[in-house]
Amino acid sequence: MADKFMSMRNLKFTLHEVVGTESLPPGSPVNGHSRKSMDMVLDAAFDFAKKALHPIFEEMDRNPPELINGTVAVHKDVRSILATLGKDGWISAIFPEEWGGDNMPPSLLHAVCFVFASANYSASVYSGLTTGAANLIFTFGSEDLHKQFLLPMLEGRWQGTMALTEPEAGTSLGDLTTAATPQADGTYRIKGEKIFISAGDHDGVDNVVHLMLARIDGAPAGVKGISLFAVPKLRKNGKDELVSNDVTVTQVFHKMGYRGAPITALSLGDKDDCTGHLVGEPNRGLSYMFQMMNGARLEVGIGATAIATAAYHASLDYAKNRRQGRRLTDGPGGAPIPIIEHQDVKRMLLFQRAVSEGALSLILQCSRYEDRMHSAPDEEQADCKLLLELLTPVAKTFPAEMGILSTSASIQCFGGYGYCEDFPVEQHFRDMRIHAIHEGTTGIQGMDLLGRKVVMNNGKALQLLDREMESTMEKAKGHPELRAMTKALAEARDTLAATTMTLGNVAMEKGPEAFLANATLYLELFGLVTVAWQWLAQMAVASEKLAAQTIRKSDRAFYEGKLAVGRYYFSHELPKIGPLSVTLAQPPLSLQTEVDCFTD
Amino acid sequence: MADKFMSMRNLKFTLHEVVGTESLPPGSPVNGHSRKSMDMVLDAAFDFAKKALHPIFEEMDRNPPELINGTVAVHKDVRSILATLGKDGWISAIFPEEWGGDNMPPSLLHAVCFVFASANYSASVYSGLTTGAANLIFTFGSEDLHKQFLLPMLEGRWQGTMALTEPEAGTSLGDLTTAATPQADGTYRIKGEKIFISAGDHDGVDNVVHLMLARIDGAPAGVKGISLFAVPKLRKNGKDELVSNDVTVTQVFHKMGYRGAPITALSLGDKDDCTGHLVGEPNRGLSYMFQMMNGARLEVGIGATAIATAAYHASLDYAKNRRQGRRLTDGPGGAPIPIIEHQDVKRMLLFQRAVSEGALSLILQCSRYEDRMHSAPDEEQADCKLLLELLTPVAKTFPAEMGILSTSASIQCFGGYGYCEDFPVEQHFRDMRIHAIHEGTTGIQGMDLLGRKVVMNNGKALQLLDREMESTMEKAKGHPELRAMTKALAEARDTLAATTMTLGNVAMEKGPEAFLANATLYLELFGLVTVAWQWLAQMAVASEKLAAQTIRKSDRAFYEGKLAVGRYYFSHELPKIGPLSVTLAQPPLSLQTEVDCFTD
């Protein structure tokens, strides 16, 4: 197996030089983190990822979780990994010091997530879920709930989950039926079924705390009657012992990939003895959950980007070392050349970098807005929040969908070997495919972007994005070699604006069905444009650095590589917005096609 | 599991109404087959596929081949399937009557392959490989070889294979080193290693015959020194008993998909006791093999199309029956609707049909040229051969590459369930991914198309294709509703011609590296244009039929469905040639990118 699963150089380049730290006033820390302390954190994360996560990347896939006597057995290392992540403060990192954290800024947290996920995506999700669930309790739960749950979760002894989906309510959460009946002691009796619960049970922890959506008896129908509960697998009895809370694992799903993490179905209250604790106020569960979900969606984007990155490095390693064939201009006599010298292989490597490094940049740009939501001057905070909300579905979906093609290209670089278990890329391809589904399918992200984010605050977010792109183009202007790309981004931005305007008219004239029918394609176009923006930002930095008087040879190669991949993106990928914008300007074909036509 | 894996109605529509039988002079049979007899054959194939192949589609995947004591154990039904396919004349179908066949025309053979492969791709390849190998022996081998090998192969008792690839010679066949040393009795002693040999050994047959490329001692270097041999696993001794021929299975590859068929590594002549029989003349092996390989490439296209088709039908079934969510204009009160009524789901179904039905049409169009290569007037035969050769890499690659996205869309229609083993689509997605690799990767197909097929006979094949497209546009002209599509195809054809011209100039001015650097993208463009041509052909038939005085309700829905999918293709897929042609007109970026830039 290839050893290298990510480029720390590229991660730090993106974090500091492109979206981040370097552009801050000199010496100004991010939530108390200096560039140097951030680098130390990243290096430590990498060290852990390399030693503890990456070595079991394949093992976890080959030995997926199994349901044995009511408990889900997972890889034996999960327990020690979670214990270490708890002990060393990774799970609690974003929390304040009183909970063992150090207010880690989102950009650094996401960079760390990326490191872990590129080493072993499945292994990385356990602790991320716990952090997210604990954060929900911390933000919306009472002090009593803090006391009951936070410490063992942050120490990695208890697993946290998000329990939303039900057999008849996946994408349509308003239909969920899990019931919560108030009890005299202020708790609730929970009854229902949940499916597709990530890390919903496993033997790497002593307990599991489900952050669960349910409907209090008599609540309004639809999404307005959904409340949030903390429902532990085991609860404390009078003697402070952990006893069953009537949460039963009914199934572990057998998945195509992402097999190191157990996805479970749960039955709650089979014996009418499942206790849940209301988090926050009744009927506000969905809005609470969405705070976690937006973070989770960005983390899905990070996961997809990390997998694409690891697959790229595996194929790069192979392409540099595998010798086969000759240049077209050579006869059969000479020695075979490394396959990276074949143009088609080099093209596939450029494509993979364009996707994975472009997506990483977009994600860390989002993280940067999240940083500034908490630390920028007040008036700027609201803008950053809008930008983050606008870009979240894009930063989730671009890597999730393009990652399918990117990991496919990784396989293709290996030829037949890529299809076999001897190399990691077939697993990356399988692991990738979940990301367009979990935490909201691509279809849902498209409707979220076009139907909610673009129109919120009278389109303010899109205006802010425009300003951001403008500022990047301003930076690029000084470099003649970026002129064509700057012009292309300006045109792309206009295309996006025109398409948005057209669809706005459709909304007014023809209503929401026609407006949102091709929202997925709009999201695709949006992704292509925003990643172009991020590539121009990367190229502007590279040009700037290359213009320096002295530059190390390895730095020169790195920055020239950035320019090469950027040119590739602008030449091969961005132009795809052309046909998309034409299609989006036409009346949606799906609306004109009768269901009856799908007869045969 | 969804029961329906293909539409016989669509297959017969394509075979008879679009590319085929209906356009022949009334009553004229194809190689002795009338439309009615062809339909009987297809119905019989479907019956067998449904009863024998489809029920073990999942079982074969879940219990992949294992190497046990030197023999590869496969699913227990493989033996009875092959025996039936032998007994009932499917393996010998294309052979003349003396060998139990009935000169089945290629179009019908390919339609049958499609039926089998859509039921269970892995199960379908065993007999197809035997037919191909037997055909090589039949075409180029001596009478003695016919006697030794053909009967047990055609009866399904012996497996046939193509043994080309070696550890250090995959795509670059010229580098293969398997040695053949002449013996006094006219046979050869074989020594070497082969990898990735499909059905290279299994316990569903009594013997295996490898059609193997090797190099006779002293042969010229490169592809000009390659000869073709028949190398059996077991050979007859003096007493007419089968004894070891020193062919050892060293490995069964563990693959991501396509797991029902064993792909093996072989070692030949470990004990210097492996006998091979020269097929045809020395040093002409590659040209012989290419006859088989072209057929095999078309069959890969059929396999990919069949898998996309089966996945489409599974997702269609689910989309019609799964109820979730509501129309955007409905409140939360009403009953959930079948998800096919959500625009994004319908769009994904249209996409899947556009790919699978478009690819099927292109493949059967190729088959039709192959029919006529053997039955048309002499002067036309050469044209048909050129068209078949030109379109083979396209008919292989369009479904292989687009099928990745198409089966991905099938998964997406299911949401989370699609990622789980409970439904067949995750397997289809895995099974699909081999097709861009085996029988020549997409990169190889691109170079074959642009570097060989387009330029052969001074570009004659492309001129012939132009004429064919012209004739389809002529037919479409009579239907006003097809005017826009006809115009779009004419423009697309011009784009293809202009791009070809541009690349021709690159070849002359800059040499082969620059000419072929983006051959894969040229192939993609070529595929989009030729499938548009096939969609216009299908739409022209549909319009014609819909214009009839009386038409059954089910027919109306079928033909209107064709028009809807055709419109989808022209509106959503064909426009993608725009950016491709722009990219292809620029100097290839891979050539401008130093390998050194891939440092980190």
Side-chain angles (χ1 to χ4, degrees), chain B residues 140-153:
Chain B
F140 302 109
S142 64
E143 286 228 4
D144 181 49
L145 291 184
H146 291 188
K147 270 186 210 150
Q148 273 193 63
F149 295 115
L150 286 187
L151 198 62
M153 291 174 82

Side-chain angles (χ1 to χ4, degrees), chain A residues 4 7 9 167-172 175 195-196 221-222 251 253-259 312-313 316 320 322-329 332 336 340-341 343-344 346-347 349-350 353 357 401 404-405 408-409 411-412 415-417 419-422 426 429-434 436-437 441-443 447 512-513 516-518 520-521 554 557-558 560-561 564 567-568 571-572 575-576 579 583 586 589-593 595-600, chain B residues 4 7 9 167-172 175 195-196 221-222 251 253-259 312-313 316 320 322-329 332 336 340-341 343-344 346-347 349-350 353 357 401 404-405 408-409 411-412 415-417 419-422 426 429-434 436-437 441-443 447 512-513 516-518 520-521 554 557-558 560-561 564 567-568 571-572 575-576 579 583 586 589-593 595-600:
Chain A
K4 186 161 184 171
S7 159
R9 170 70 198 266
E168 300 306 323
T171 290
S172 67
D175 287 328
I195 59 168
F196 295 139
Q251 191 183 349
F253 289 95
H254 295 104
K255 311 182 299 299
M256 175 167 71
Y258 179 32
R259 295 172 69 154
Y312 161 68
H313 282 289
L316 175 63
K320 282 182 166 179
R322 168 78 171 171
R323 288 176 174 270
Q324 212 194 155
R326 283 158 200 80
R327 277 201 189 72
L328 291 168
T329 44
I340 193 174
E341 297 192 28
Q343 302 312 318
D344 197 47
K346 214 192 283 174
R347 185 185 58 76
L349 293 169
L350 285 167
R353 282 184 70 175
E357 297 175 12
E401 293 284 350
I404 297 169
L405 292 171
S408 181
I411 289 178
Q412 199 70 9
Y417 287 112
Y419 195 64
C420 298
E421 292 183 0
D422 307 62
E426 66 85 24
F429 182 68
R430 289 184 290 109
D431 287 354
M432 178 61 79
R433 188 60 188 81
I434 189 61
I437 298 171
T441 61
T442 296
M447 296 209 282
E513 285 268 314
L516 296 174
N518 282 330
T520 297
L521 302 182
S554 65
F558 178 80
E560 280 178 350
R567 282 192 296 267
Y568 170 89
S571 155
H572 288 239
K576 291 176 182 166
T583 301
Q586 295 163 359
L589 276 169
S590 60
L591 273 174
Q592 302 161 52
T593 306
V595 170
D596 288 352
C597 289
F598 294 91
T599 50
D600 221 335
Chain B
K4 186 160 186 174
S7 158
R9 171 68 197 268
E168 301 305 322
T171 291
S172 67
D175 286 328
I195 59 167
F196 295 139
Q251 190 184 350
F253 289 95
H254 295 106
K255 311 184 299 299
M256 174 168 71
Y258 180 31
R259 298 171 68 152
Y312 160 67
H313 282 289
L316 175 63
K320 283 182 165 178
R322 168 77 170 171
R323 287 175 174 272
Q324 212 195 154
R326 284 159 199 80
R327 275 199 192 73
L328 292 169
T329 43
I340 192 174
E341 297 192 28
Q343 303 312 317
D344 197 47
K346 215 193 278 175
R347 185 186 57 77
L349 293 169
L350 285 167
R353 283 184 70 176
E357 296 175 14
E401 293 285 351
I404 296 170
L405 292 171
S408 181
I411 289 178
Q412 199 69 11
Y417 287 113
Y419 195 63
C420 298
E421 292 183 0
D422 308 62
E426 66 86 24
F429 183 68
R430 290 184 288 111
D431 287 355
M432 177 62 78
R433 188 60 190 80
I434 188 61
I437 298 170
T441 61
T442 296
M447 297 210 283
E513 286 266 315
L516 296 175
N518 281 330
T520 296
L521 302 182
S554 65
F558 178 80
E560 280 177 351
R567 281 192 298 265
Y568 170 89
S571 155
H572 288 239
K576 292 175 181 166
T583 302
Q586 295 162 0
L589 276 169
S590 60
L591 273 172
Q592 303 161 51
T593 307
V595 169
D596 288 351
C597 289
F598 295 90
T599 51
D600 220 335

Side-chain angles (χ1 to χ4, degrees), chain A residues 518-535:
Chain A
N518 282 330
T520 297
L521 302 182
Y522 179 79
L523 171 57
E524 190 179 342
L525 185 150
F526 208 105
L528 287 164
V529 175
T530 46
V531 172
W533 161 46
Q534 288 303 312
W535 268 113

Side-chain angles (χ1 to χ4, degrees), chain A residues 561-581:
Chain A
K562 280 291 172 188
L563 293 181
V565 183
R567 282 192 296 267
Y568 170 89
Y569 186 87
F570 275 91
S571 155
H572 288 239
E573 301 304 320
L574 181 61
K576 291 176 182 166
I577 65 169
L580 282 169
S581 68

Side-chain angles (χ1 to χ4, degrees), chain A residues 39 59 109 149 176 204 253 331 338 494 584:
Chain A
D39 282 354
E59 268 176 48
L109 175 76
F149 296 114
L176 64 82
F253 289 95
D494 294 346
L584 281 161

Side-chain angles (χ1 to χ4, degrees), chain B residues 561-572:
Chain B
K562 281 290 171 188
L563 292 182
V565 183
R567 281 192 298 265
Y568 170 89
Y569 185 88
F570 275 91
S571 155
H572 288 239

Side-chain angles (χ1 to χ4, degrees), chain B residues 209-229:
Chain B
V209 183
H210 305 287
L211 274 287
M212 186 177 291
L213 295 182
R215 202 177 281 288
I216 296 173
D217 298 351
V223 294
K224 289 175 184 163
I226 295 175
S227 303
L228 179 64
F229 295 87

